[in-house]
């Protein structure tokens, strides 16, 4: 697999460097990487291989007497269940929800993050305070943040949002986590990840050559024109980076779901990682849980590789 | 060069409307945090009054209550787990990142991709075997076990970030050092580490933040307050028990304070660190 | 292995001895009532990890735990008190993998026999019987038998026991000119709920709908049984969409949608209790163990206006039987310490200790006859003690339904894999109450789920 990463362009010069050049391949490098490499293999890859192995068993911890090797049966059941109208393993729901949560959160976070970054990229009184306030949600412990949202913001009786809706005479007082469970989860996740996107995009904005902006202003460009014509094109690869990093974390989200909806009502907020928890830990079904875990890994890996390739095309463009 | 440019970044003043809009949006986004912190200083009956009371006589009653319920060991465990794991992450990541950036070997890109790809592995995909392996190694319900996992969790991001910082060190500096006959160790400790200092700090902060806030591994691998971290203390508040809003908020405030304050202090490094090498 | 065998032999001998002592002690029952417990063996040492469900009685136990540590200065307690769903996950995983993170866990009738069968928990009955002051015979036989293994040994010592009953607000009924009959039917309840329901509260009725086989699953299953329905027929064919079961499910979900608490799908036992205590409920059907708390004016501002009555009946009474009980994990390194704690927490003296320190509203009831014979408790609980006792005594876990079933258990299907099914079915039905799905569609779906589950687990 040829995956290019930032700095890849330099490799050409490296390869072409004469034998006496100090930057040619150093055998010693291998030993410096070895500890981290071996550590990552032991703690992540070996357990994953064991997960693969477990996924070939019918194995419910509550019924050790029925444990048996069943080959690929767990996978067969999962995949055929995708076409079953009643979705007996809640597998289709979990895939759909994972997509909704990841794409929805990344999209809205990017849009909001872009607005925030543009807002605080200009000088105004209290700019540092506003920026500090905006990045805070990213620092808040997700389980504490989720409990705050559930009890202080979204509670139908004591929550601020419903109180505001009532006080403004809209006559609305929805039970957020029951009536709009998916939207509620996305709201909590966007609250956490928009600041993250802002941080990345802010770095991008700060790397724009000020002279280019000056020139545009001299030409009489409005702020909006400046944003569309200069800022946005420059931010393209930062947005890709934000999307990649955000997706890596958001696709694995379990904290907010665990603390608020526990996957429900129905299966409306069950995503793949939470589903593994439900099946393997709550339901003690190790075999099936492992199979769902493996599928989750494969799907995540495909999605991330595609994203990473997109990112690299853009980064390579920068070095060319 | 880069510094100079950033220093001049957008000195242009915003209009009054712009200022007001920015403040309103900032306050809206910050409100949940502010409200949590304020509510932690209220009595339980004040905590549920609507409209929310923003001016009230503060009380430390809830903090006393939360601490009397054994919050302290959780806090201590969190501190140990995040600091120790971060330290080891840096010890493993610095040489690896150095090698990947400055002493490239064949297939170094594949190696880098390997590290990043371990991050694509959802915790859910390895949690079952980890539990079984930890049980057999007697690592369940221990801080050591949790630390082992947190190292693996933060290692890829740390390597990726540090590599980009090493990458930026001007080649002339290195060449000069080598002409002087500096060994690899000296090159690292006396020349490189000081130069990537801010990067090191940013990496450490991110690693601490992720470890401090981590819940999924903790909930599955530790059980009692001998090793349980702060997020597990928060788990008690999943269901309500009587009036508990103010207590929940007091506990939340203590749970989020260390990392929020750290993040506030390190904003600039975070901006730089999170954009990992994409910023030149 | 050898050591294990000899230990078992020893235990057996001790058991035989204990039985004899217990028999003698019942002969001199008056003496046993007042027998002072043997002074605690302070040489027992160890660090005990205990996982408990966060119900009010356990929270009281947590408050009084320093007393135990005072009596046994060499035992250190680490109590993990978590909400029901969360603690059950922890306990189930720890016990079934024999991971040994806990020495002591709270389990109930759903798990006790099964865990014993798998050899995951230790016989606690034998050592408890051996202590005359513990007065083993004082515990209700129904509790003992439901917590025993196939070998008739007790594998989990009951801490408090419960069935279910109906709580209601006498003041609201009076103002509305309504009278609660002695034996209400579900139709009566619906009629009352309709008349008393207010959008801003108090709600007509509060009931659990927090997904989880042990949360929403309990009152739901009890209601299905009361309507003449069942989860499965004798051949493990799912019966949730059969007319009687479907009618019950629809009744329960409609009742909550129309006259229930808005936050139903996040309301379990504790949330419902809070709503009632805060005056937000006109009626509440739930565990009898809540009666003690509801009768205490200090804990329940509505205490003076709280009425207690039999649970609603339809074809049969709505009913359940449960006890939270302490089981000792087989892998424990501190067996003696664990047993010392079990003995302390489930003793008569502990009941008295709670009464003295925290009041009768916090005592663990429903387990010991002596609690109900105690003049202090009788005076405190005169409004409900006899009622609770008669309801508990009427429960028989082997006869849940009007029709034959292949499982034991009143408010659950007593097979180990039921956890998954119970959780998933309640999740789906919570979606109906949330208004995101039609009851008929959901009933068809949960019936399919039950059949797929039965097939997958080898029952069909």
């Amino acid at each position: 697999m040829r995956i290019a990463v930032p700095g890849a362009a330099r490799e050409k010069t490296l390869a072409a460097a004469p034998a006496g050049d100090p930057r040619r391949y150093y055998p010693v490098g291998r030993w410096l990487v070895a500890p981290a490499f071996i550590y990552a293999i032991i703690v992540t890859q070996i357990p994953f291989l064991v997960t693969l192995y477990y996924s070939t068993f019918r194995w419910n911890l509550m019924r050790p007497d029925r444990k048996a090797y069943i080959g690929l049966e767990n996978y067969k059941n999962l995949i055929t269940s995708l076409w079953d109208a009643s979705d007996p393993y809640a597998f289709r729901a979990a895939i759909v929800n994972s997509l909704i949560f990841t794409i929805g959160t990344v999209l809205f976070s990017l849009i909001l993050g872009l607005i925030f970054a543009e807002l605080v990229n200009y000088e105004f009184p209290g700019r540092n305070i506003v920026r500090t306030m905006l990045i805070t949600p990213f620092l808040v412990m997700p389980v504490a943040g989720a409990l705050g949202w559930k009890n202080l913001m979204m509670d139908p009786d004591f929550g601020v949002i419903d109180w505001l809706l009532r006080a403004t005479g809209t006559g609305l007082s929805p039970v957020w986590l029951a009536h709009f469970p998916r939207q509620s989860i996305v709201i909590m996740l966007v609250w956490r990840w928009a600041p993250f996107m802002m941080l990345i995009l802010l770095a991008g904005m700060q790397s724009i050559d000020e002279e280019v902006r000056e020139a545009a202003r001299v030409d009489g460009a409005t702020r909006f024109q400046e944003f569309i014509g200069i800022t946005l094109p420059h931010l393209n690869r930062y947005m890709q980076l934000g999307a990649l990093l955000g997706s890596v974390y958001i696709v694995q989200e379990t904290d907010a779901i665990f603390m608020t909806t526990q996957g429900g009502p129905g299966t409306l907020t069950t995503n793949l990682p939470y589903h593994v928890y439900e099946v393997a830990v709550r339901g003690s079904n190790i075999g099936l849980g492992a199979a769902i875990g493996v599928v989750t890994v494969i799907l995540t890996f495909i999605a991330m590789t595609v994203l990473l390739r997109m990112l690299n095309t853009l980064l390579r463009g920068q070095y060319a | 060069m880069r510094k100079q440019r950033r220093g001049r970044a957008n000195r242009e003043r915003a209009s009054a409307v712009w200022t007001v809009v920015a403040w309103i949006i900032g306050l809206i986004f910050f409100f949940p945090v502010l409200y949590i912190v304020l509510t932690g200083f209220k009595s339980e009956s004040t905590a549920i009054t609507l409209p929310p009371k923003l001016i009230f006589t503060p009380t430390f009653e809830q903090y006393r209550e939360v601490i009397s319920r054994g919050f302290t060991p959780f806090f201590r465990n969190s501190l140990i787990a995040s600091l120790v794991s971060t330290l080891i992450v840096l010890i493993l990541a610095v040489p690896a990142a150095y090698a990947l950036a400055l002493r490239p070997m064949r297939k170094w890109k594949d190696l880098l991709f390997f590290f990043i790809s371990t991050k694509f592995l959802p915790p859910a995909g390895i949690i079952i075997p980890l539990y079984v392996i930890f049980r057999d190694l007697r690592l369940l319900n221990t801080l050591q076990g949790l630390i082992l996992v947190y190292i693996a969790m933060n290692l890829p991001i740390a390597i990726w970030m540090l590599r980009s910082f090493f990458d930026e060190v001007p080649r002339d500096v290195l060449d000069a050092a080598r002409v002087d006959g500096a060994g690899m160790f000296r090159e690292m400790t006396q020349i490189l580490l000081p130069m990537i200092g801010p990067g090191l700090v940013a990496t450490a902060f991110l690693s601490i933040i992720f470890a401090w806030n981590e819940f999924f591994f903790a909930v599955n691998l530790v059980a009692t307050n001998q090793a349980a971290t702060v997020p597990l203390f928060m788990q008690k508040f999943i269901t309500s028990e009587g009036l508990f809003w103010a207590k929940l908020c007091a506990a939340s405030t203590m749970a989020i304070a260390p990392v929020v304050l750290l993040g506030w202090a390190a904003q600039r490094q975070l901006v730089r660190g999170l954009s990992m090498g994409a910023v030149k | 292995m050898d050591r294990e065998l000899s230990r078992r032999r020893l235990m057996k001998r001790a058991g035989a001895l204990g039985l004899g002592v217990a028999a003698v002690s019942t002969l001199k029952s008056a003496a046993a009532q007042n027998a002072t417990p043997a002074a605690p063996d302070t040489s027992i040492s160890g660090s005990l990890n205990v996982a408990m469900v966060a119900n009010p009685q356990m929270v009281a136990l947590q408050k009084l735990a320093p007393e135990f540590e005072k009596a046994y200065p060499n035992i250190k307690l680490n109590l993990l008190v978590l909400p029901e769903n969360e603690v059950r996950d922890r306990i189930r995983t720890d016990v079934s993998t024999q991971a040994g993170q806990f020495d002591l866990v709270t389990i109930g009738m759903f798990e006790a026999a099964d865990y014993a069968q798998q050899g995951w928990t230790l016989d606690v009955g034998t050592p408890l019987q051996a202590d005359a002051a513990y007065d083993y015979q004082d515990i209700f036989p129904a509790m003992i038998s439901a917590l025993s293994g196939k070998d008739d040994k007790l594998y989990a010592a009951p801490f408090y026991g419960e069935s279910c009953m109906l709580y209601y607000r006498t003041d609201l009924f009076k103002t509305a000119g309504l009278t609660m009959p002695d034996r209400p039917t579900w139709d009566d309840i619906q009629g009352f709920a309709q008349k008393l329901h207010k959008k801003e509260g108090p709600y007509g009725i509060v009931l659990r709908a927090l997904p989880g086989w042990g949360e929403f699953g309990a009152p739901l299953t009890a209601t299905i049984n009361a309507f003449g329905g069942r989860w499965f027929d004798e051949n493990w064919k799912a019966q949730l969409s059969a007319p009687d079961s479907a009618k019950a499910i629809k009744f329960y979900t409609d009742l909550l949608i129309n006259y229930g608490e808005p936050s139903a799908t996040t309301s379990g036992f504790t949330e419902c209790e809070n709503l009632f205590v805060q005056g937000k409920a006109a009626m509440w059907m739930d565990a009898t163990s809540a009666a003690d708390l509801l009768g205490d004016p200090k804990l329940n501002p509505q205490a003076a206006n709280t009425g207690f009555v039999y649970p609603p009946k339809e074809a049969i009474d709505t009913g359940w039987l449960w006890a939270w009980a302490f089981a000792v994990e087989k892998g424990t390194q501190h067996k003696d310490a664990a047993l010392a704690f079990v003995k302390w927490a489930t003793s008569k003296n502990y009941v008295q200790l709670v009464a003295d320190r925290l009041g009768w509203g916090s005592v663990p009831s429903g387990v010991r006859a002596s609690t109900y014979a105690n003049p202090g408790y009788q005076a405190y609980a005169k409004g409900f003690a006899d009622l609770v006792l008669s309801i508990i005594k009427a429960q028989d876990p082997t006869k849940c339904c009007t029709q034959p079933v292949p499982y034991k258990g009143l408010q659950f299907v007593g097979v180990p894999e039921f956890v998954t099914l119970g959780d998933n079915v309640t999740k789906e039905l919570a979606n109906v109450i949330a208004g995101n799905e039609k009851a008929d569609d959901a009933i068809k779906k949960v019936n399919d789920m039950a059949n797929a589950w039965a097939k997958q687990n080898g029952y069909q």
Side-chain angles (χ1 to χ4, degrees):
Chain A
M1 202 183 306
R2 303 255 331 148
I3 303 285
V5 283
R10 196 186 302 121
E11 195 219 9
K12 272 184 208 138
T13 39
L14 281 171
D21 190 300
R23 280 166 295 168
R24 69 174 161 34
Y25 292 118
Y26 274 84
V28 70
R30 233 171 272 161
W31 300 109
L32 290 170
V33 182
F37 184 70
I38 293 166
Y39 191 92
I41 295 269
I42 291 175
V43 183
T44 63
Q45 307 303 294
I46 291 179
F48 180 64
L49 291 179
V50 181
T51 305
L52 267 176
Y53 173 72
Y54 286 170
S55 71
T56 59
F57 283 87
R58 178 179 67 209
W59 183 13
N60 189 313
L61 286 174
M62 292 293 123
R63 290 287 298 273
D65 49 310
R66 287 189 80 232
K67 184 178 174 181
Y69 174 78
I70 52 167
L72 297 178
E73 183 130 346
N74 284 325
Y75 295 98
K76 202 187 94 200
N77 288 340
L78 281 177
I79 289 163
T80 49
S81 82
L82 287 176
W83 285 272
D84 188 329
S86 70
D87 195 15
Y89 295 95
F91 186 52
R92 194 176 55 218
I95 292 177
V96 170
N97 290 330
S98 278
L99 285 172
I100 290 177
F101 291 159
T102 312
I103 296 173
T105 307
V106 169
L107 206 65
F108 286 113
S109 299
L110 270 176
I111 294 171
L112 280 180
L114 188 62
I115 294 172
F116 294 173
E118 176 70 7
L119 275 177
V120 298
N121 195 33
Y122 287 79
E123 195 67 47
F124 63 86
R127 170 183 159 183
N128 286 338
I129 299 173
V130 170
R131 191 187 57 210
T132 306
M133 291 199 295
L134 284 173
I135 66 163
T136 307
F138 176 65
L139 304 168
V140 169
M141 179 180 290
V143 293
L147 285 174
W149 275 98
K150 177 183 168 192
N151 291 299
L152 299 177
M153 306 301 291
M154 291 174 166
D155 187 275
D157 291 316
F158 307 110
V160 171
I161 298 181
D162 279 30
W163 168 76
L164 267 178
L165 288 175
R166 281 193 301 266
T168 49
T170 55
L172 297 170
S173 187
V175 184
W176 285 92
L177 294 172
H179 298 155
F180 306 107
R182 282 172 170 159
Q183 292 90 330
S184 302
I185 295 285
V186 171
I187 288 173
M188 289 180 229
L189 292 179
V190 168
W191 181 71
R192 176 164 153 70
W193 288 98
F196 172 85
M197 300 301 180
M198 177 189 85
L199 283 171
I200 289 182
L201 296 177
L202 208 51
M205 285 181 182
Q206 289 176 354
S207 71
I208 297 175
D209 196 337
E210 190 61 11
E211 276 154 33
V212 179
R213 285 183 187 271
E214 291 292 347
R217 282 174 207 145
V218 170
D219 289 347
T222 64
R223 187 163 175 186
F224 182 71
Q225 284 169 329
E226 189 187 319
F227 179 73
I228 298 291
I230 300 170
T231 313
L232 220 46
H234 181 83
L235 286 185
N236 207 334
R237 65 202 175 87
Y238 292 90
M239 288 166 79
Q240 299 282 347
L241 181 74
L244 173 81
L245 285 175
S247 309
V248 166
Y249 284 96
I250 293 161
V251 81
Q252 299 171 5
E253 173 62 35
T254 49
D255 300 5
I257 296 170
F258 197 111
M259 288 290 151
T260 57
T261 60
Q262 304 236 322
T267 50
L268 285 174
T269 59
T270 305
N271 67 354
L272 282 166
Y274 187 76
H275 198 39
V276 174
Y277 175 83
E278 247 183 1
V279 172
V281 181
R282 192 153 275 183
S284 311
N285 195 336
I286 299 296
L288 187 64
I292 300 173
V294 170
V295 176
T296 307
V297 171
I298 293 171
L299 292 179
T300 313
F301 208 80
I302 294 172
M304 294 305 147
T305 309
V306 170
L307 267 175
L308 195 67
R309 270 166 199 263
M310 280 162 58
L311 174 66
N312 275 308
T313 327
L314 286 147
L315 284 173
R316 205 177 295 139
Q318 186 226 351
Y319 282 101
Chain B
M1 177 66 184
R2 177 171 48 82
K3 239 183 199 149
Q4 213 178 9
R5 212 194 295 150
R6 186 186 289 170
R8 294 200 292 128
N10 266 320
R11 280 286 166 78
E12 200 202 355
R13 292 197 72 82
S15 66
V17 178
W18 196 256
T19 308
V20 172
V21 168
W23 268 94
I24 289 174
I25 291 185
L27 282 170
I28 289 176
F29 242 63
F30 187 63
F31 179 75
V33 181
L34 180 73
Y35 195 38
I36 286 174
V37 175
L38 285 178
T39 308
F41 291 102
K42 290 178 183 175
S43 70
E44 287 296 358
S45 52
T46 331
I48 53 166
T49 41
L50 288 170
K53 272 198 181 144
L54 298 179
I55 294 158
F56 55 93
T57 325
T59 164
F60 287 93
E61 182 194 332
Q62 314 306 338
Y63 283 86
R64 272 195 296 274
E65 173 75 19
V66 168
I67 288 169
S68 80
R69 288 193 191 184
F71 181 77
T72 327
F74 291 84
F75 195 85
R76 186 198 59 217
N77 291 335
S78 268
L79 266 185
I80 298 174
S82 44
L83 292 179
V84 174
S85 69
T86 297
L87 185 71
I88 303 176
V89 161
L90 291 182
I91 292 173
L92 288 171
V94 166
Y98 165 79
L100 289 172
L102 299 176
R103 292 182 173 261
M105 62 220 83
R106 262 169 257 282
K107 307 219 174 186
W108 67 274
K109 285 175 299 177
D110 291 348
L111 253 178
L112 189 57
F113 181 72
F114 163 78
F115 281 116
I116 281 301
S117 74
T118 64
K119 199 65 222 163
F120 303 165
L121 192 68
I126 57 170
I127 193 66
I128 305 162
L130 269 186
Y131 182 89
V132 176
I133 295 167
F134 273 28
R135 179 196 65 185
D136 295 342
L137 297 176
R138 300 239 143 252
L139 282 171
L140 274 185
N141 202 24
T142 65
L143 270 178
Q144 292 92 311
L146 214 49
I147 289 169
L148 284 177
V149 177
Y150 289 172
I151 295 169
M153 177 177 86
N154 284 324
L155 194 56
I157 294 284
I159 290 179
W160 179 293
M161 271 173 73
L162 285 172
R163 199 202 70 89
S164 77
F165 286 108
F166 276 124
D167 215 29
E168 274 180 21
V169 175
R171 302 288 133 165
D172 318 351
V173 176
L174 285 182
D175 290 345
R178 280 186 196 142
V179 170
D180 287 351
M184 194 176 68
F185 185 74
R186 248 192 67 204
E187 176 185 311
M188 174 85 99
T189 53
Q190 295 188 354
I191 301 166
L192 283 172
L193 284 184
M195 290 190 75
I196 64 151
L200 214 55
V201 172
T203 311
F205 279 175
L206 260 192
S207 170
I208 290 172
I209 290 173
F210 285 127
W212 181 273
N213 289 344
E214 205 284 330
F215 173 70
F216 188 78
F217 284 120
V219 78
N220 285 300
L221 299 177
V222 302
T224 72
N225 58 11
Q226 288 151 328
T229 49
V230 173
L232 296 184
F233 187 86
M234 301 308 297
Q235 197 194 358
K236 295 179 182 182
F237 295 102
I238 284 189
T239 59
S240 52
E241 25 158 329
L243 289 175
F244 77 123
W245 275 262
K247 275 188 277 296
L248 162 67
C249 290
S252 297
T253 305
M254 286 194 277
I256 67 177
V259 156
V260 167
L261 295 177
L262 195 68
W264 284 356
Q267 279 180 51
R268 291 194 185 282
Q269 283 89 335
L270 280 182
V271 171
R272 170 76 182 85
L274 279 173
S275 48
M276 294 200 298
V279 182
K280 285 285 163 184
Chain C
M1 190 66 198
D2 277 348
R3 194 177 297 162
E4 184 63 37
L5 272 174
S6 65
R7 195 184 52 75
R8 274 195 196 152
R9 227 174 279 140
L10 253 171
M11 295 271 288
K12 232 179 211 167
R13 238 173 267 157
L17 198 75
L19 266 174
V21 175
V24 172
S25 83
T26 41
L27 279 175
K28 317 183 274 179
S29 72
Q33 286 277 339
N34 300 320
T36 39
D41 180 357
T42 51
S43 68
I44 303 174
S45 65
S47 171
L48 271 189
N49 288 340
V50 188
M52 303 195 295
V53 62
N55 287 345
Q57 289 85 344
M58 274 72 169
V59 175
L61 177 63
Q62 194 179 16
K63 279 189 196 142
L64 294 173
E67 292 296 319
F68 174 78
E69 289 179 310
K70 230 184 272 169
Y72 293 87
N74 294 317
I75 301 179
K76 166 104 187 62
L77 287 177
N78 291 312
L79 302 177
L80 179 80
V81 186
L82 284 179
E84 180 168 330
N85 280 340
E86 283 63 45
V87 86
R88 281 193 153 134
D89 292 350
R90 294 297 190 82
I91 293 171
R92 200 183 310 117
T93 312
D94 193 60
V95 172
S96 62
T97 59
Q98 289 288 286
Q101 298 191 76
F102 304 117
D103 302 292
L104 264 177
V105 292
T106 52
I107 58 171
M109 288 153 180
F110 176 72
E111 301 97 343
D114 194 60
Y115 287 6
Q117 173 84 2
Q118 303 286 0
W120 291 332
T121 48
L122 295 176
D123 166 16
V124 291
T126 311
L128 290 178
Q129 279 173 328
D131 184 347
Y134 183 77
D135 200 1
Y136 189 81
Q137 310 299 326
D138 186 35
I139 301 171
F140 296 137
M143 295 289 162
I144 301 265
S145 76
L147 293 165
S148 293
K150 281 194 178 140
D151 55 2
D152 281 333
K153 285 180 178 152
L154 183 70
Y155 282 88
F159 179 58
Y160 74 82
E162 63 183 39
S163 181
C164 68
M165 66 196 293
L166 187 78
Y167 306 102
Y168 67 102
R169 287 274 300 280
T170 50
D171 53 337
L172 297 178
F173 270 69
K174 209 169 164 191
T175 322
L178 301 169
T179 335
M180 176 67 79
D182 284 345
R183 304 295 296 247
T185 64
W186 274 113
D187 281 336
D188 294 336
I189 300 301
Q190 189 183 30
F192 296 145
Q194 186 182 6
K195 294 198 183 83
L196 295 168
H197 183 68
K198 293 208 177 60
K199 207 168 161 253
E200 306 282 318
Y203 312 118
I205 187 165
V206 299
L207 291 169
R208 303 183 197 178
L210 173 71
W213 70 269
E215 287 280 9
F216 184 9
L220 176 76
T221 305
T223 307
I224 291 174
N225 295 344
F227 273 68
R230 52 186 171 166
W231 277 75
F232 291 98
D233 71 7
E234 311 91 295
N235 303 314
W236 287 101
K237 284 261 173 299
Q239 297 295 316
L240 291 173
S241 61
D244 291 326
S245 310
K247 192 177 156 214
I249 295 173
K250 220 165 163 333
F251 181 87
Y252 194 103
T253 51
D254 281 348
L255 191 60
L256 272 181
I257 291 169
N258 296 323
Y259 318 117
E261 71 274 22
S263 56
T265 57
T266 52
S267 296
F269 172 76
T270 34
E271 284 82 1
C272 290
E273 186 176 62
N274 288 337
L275 286 169
F276 195 88
V277 166
Q278 288 164 15
K280 288 245 180 195
M283 292 184 283
W284 174 35
M285 189 202 74
D286 214 306
T288 55
S289 58
D292 297 308
L293 185 143
L294 294 187
D296 187 341
K298 283 200 301 283
L299 303 172
N300 175 20
Q302 330 295 335
N305 298 318
T306 301
F308 307 85
V309 69
Y310 278 96
K313 63 168 192 271
E314 205 62 35
I316 51 171
D317 282 350
T318 311
W320 76 52
L321 187 67
W322 184 260
W324 281 107
F326 284 105
V328 182
E329 281 202 35
K330 191 182 164 202
T332 178
Q333 307 286 314
H334 313 286
K335 196 177 122 225
D336 292 338
L339 281 171
F341 183 77
V342 171
K343 199 183 276 181
W344 176 79
T346 61
S347 67
K348 280 191 282 191
N349 294 66
Y350 175 76
V351 173
Q352 191 61 49
L353 178 72
V354 177
D356 293 346
R357 290 294 176 80
L358 307 169
W360 285 104
S362 302
V363 297
S365 60
V367 166
R368 284 178 170 271
S370 59
T371 308
Y372 292 84
N374 185 309
Y377 186 70
Q378 279 175 342
Y380 170 79
K382 58 180 179 297
F384 55 83
D386 293 343
L387 182 65
V388 169
L389 208 54
S390 89
I391 296 172
I392 289 182
K393 282 188 172 157
Q395 307 302 322
D396 179 357
T398 59
K399 294 196 194 84
C400 70
C401 308
T402 56
Q403 303 170 74
V405 292
Y407 53 85
K408 274 195 207 172
L410 295 174
Q411 75 279 26
F412 51 79
V413 174
V415 295
E417 305 93 328
F418 176 67
V419 173
T420 318
L421 180 63
D423 284 356
N424 291 342
V425 166
T426 49
K427 256 174 105 175
E428 202 58 45
L429 296 179
N431 204 19
V432 174
I433 295 166
N436 302 318
E437 199 177 352
K438 281 205 195 82
D440 293 328
D441 298 345
I443 290 169
K444 194 193 160 304
K445 202 169 160 188
V446 295
N447 200 65
D448 289 349
M449 271 154 75
N451 276 324
W453 170 90
K455 233 174 255 141
Q456 191 197 336
N457 291 297
Y459 291 107
Q460 263 185 28

